[in-house]
Amino acid sequence: MNNKEIFITALMIVIGTAFLRFLPFIIINKSLSESKYIKFLGKMLPYSMISLLVIYCLKDINIIKFPYALPELISIAIIIILHIIKRNVLISIGAGTIIYMFLVQVVFV
């Protein structure tokens, strides 16, 4: 591909992505967005997605083989404690990720 074709391809991707991002706002009118079902989904989906991410991250741990899921359990405990103390999602998840990576790469090698 030459530069012109690359530019046209990238432009088409940008236009397609923008269109798909704005499409729900164009389709869903105000009366539909005020329905009970949409409000329920807006309230419950963030918690559902976080639950799915946690399950996905913990699905491959092995409690029988070393390190016996200790890095994961320590990181989860730190995330919970920091979130209770600070009430800041970015701090708790960021610190938990840093602690987990440190434990996996340095402590439990």
Side-chain angles (χ1 to χ4, degrees), residues 28-42:
I28 298 176
N29 58 17
K30 189 163 177 72
S31 63
L32 181 62
S33 67
E34 293 174 354
S35 75
K36 284 183 176 181
Y37 182 67
I38 300 295
K39 287 182 181 181
F40 173 76
L41 286 177

Side-chain angles (χ1 to χ4, degrees), residues 1 3 7-8 18-19 21 23-24 30 36-37 42 45-46 56 58-59 61 68 70 72 74 78 85 90-91 94 98:
M1 290 178 79
N3 288 341
F7 177 74
I8 291 171
F19 176 72
R21 295 285 177 155
L23 188 63
K30 189 163 177 72
K36 284 183 176 181
Y37 182 67
L45 279 178
Y56 178 76
L58 298 178
K59 71 178 175 53
I61 62 172
Y68 312 109
L70 287 175
E72 290 87 357
I74 293 169
I78 289 172
I85 293 171
L90 292 177
I91 291 174
I98 291 169

Side-chain angles (χ1 to χ4, degrees), residues 52-109:
L52 283 172
L53 286 172
V54 170
I55 291 169
Y56 178 76
C57 290
L58 298 178
K59 71 178 175 53
D60 291 329
I61 62 172
N62 190 353
I63 59 172
I64 298 171
K65 188 177 174 188
F66 182 79
Y68 312 109
L70 287 175
E72 290 87 357
L73 294 174
I74 293 169
S75 300
I76 290 170
I78 289 172
I79 289 170
I80 291 170
I81 291 168
L82 279 174
H83 192 68
I84 290 171
I85 293 171
K86 294 290 186 181
R87 296 279 184 206
N88 189 327
V89 176
L90 292 177
I91 291 174
S92 57
I93 292 175
T97 303
I98 291 169
I99 296 294
Y100 174 75
M101 294 309 290
F102 176 77
L103 290 173
V104 170
Q105 295 180 8
V106 177
V107 178
F108 296 104
V109 178

